[in-house]
């Protein structure tokens, strides 16, 4: 199993980062709509810009394994905060499932924070 660890870490980084990279780029194509939704939920629309940066840059950092711990920590926090803001609704089972998925993804990012990006990464090549 130890021989598979580098491949598993690479696969995990690809799978966990892809959604955020794509989401950030999609937001770039529809900033006004996303801002409107954020404002409807009580979040200042101006936060769309740091949101896009965290999603794209944090996702890319995790994907390639450069400053991956920082990117993963930012994305873990993003998952928890956005989950609570946009999905916490105890009267709606589907929203609560989405909240718990956000928490689970944050947990995956915290593994990267703890363990680093692995050997098959830019950081892993240095050591």
């Amino acid at each position: 199993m130890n021989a598979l660890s580098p491949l598993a870490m690479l696969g995990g980084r690809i799978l966990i980062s892809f959604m955020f990279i794509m989401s950030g780029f999609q937001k770039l194509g529809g900033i006004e709509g996303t801002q409107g939704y954020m404002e409807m939920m009580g979040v200042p629309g101006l936060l769309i810009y740091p949101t896009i940066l965290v999603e794209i840059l944090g996702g890319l950092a995790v994907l390639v394994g450069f400053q991956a711990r920082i990117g993963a920590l930012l994305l873990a926090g993003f998952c928890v905060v956005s989950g609570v803001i946009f999905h916490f609704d105890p009267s709606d089972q589907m929203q609560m499932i989405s909240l718990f998925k956000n928490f689970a993804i944050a947990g995956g990012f915290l593994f990267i924070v703890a363990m680093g990006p692995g050997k098959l990464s830019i950081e892993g090549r240095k050591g």
Side-chain angles (χ1 to χ4, degrees):
M1 287 307 237
N2 285 341
L4 294 177
S5 290
L7 288 173
M9 292 180 84
L10 174 61
R13 289 195 339 265
I14 291 168
L15 292 172
I16 202 166
S17 64
F18 183 73
M19 167 174 59
F20 293 91
I21 296 166
M22 295 306 298
S23 178
F25 280 114
Q26 288 174 342
K27 283 178 178 69
L28 279 174
I31 289 178
E32 297 82 14
T34 305
Q35 277 181 316
Y37 179 69
M38 291 170 67
E39 290 169 354
M40 184 180 75
M41 298 299 289
V43 177
L46 193 59
L47 291 178
I48 186 68
Y49 300 104
T51 297
I52 291 170
L53 283 175
V54 167
E55 286 186 320
I56 294 174
L57 296 180
L60 289 171
V62 169
L63 177 65
V64 301
F66 178 74
Q67 300 295 322
R69 285 183 160 120
I70 294 169
L73 185 61
L74 289 171
L75 286 167
F78 175 80
C79 287
V80 171
V81 171
S82 64
V84 170
I85 291 171
F86 295 105
H87 299 297
F88 181 76
D89 182 356
S91 69
D92 185 337
Q93 182 180 5
M94 292 306 296
Q95 288 300 321
M96 292 305 288
I97 289 170
S98 291
L99 171 67
F100 297 141
K101 284 182 182 180
N102 273 41
F103 288 172
I105 295 166
F109 281 124
L110 291 177
F111 273 101
I112 295 170
V113 172
M115 304 304 293
K119 292 180 183 178
L120 299 177
S121 67
I122 291 175
E123 292 176 27
R125 295 183 63 149
K126 294 177 187 175

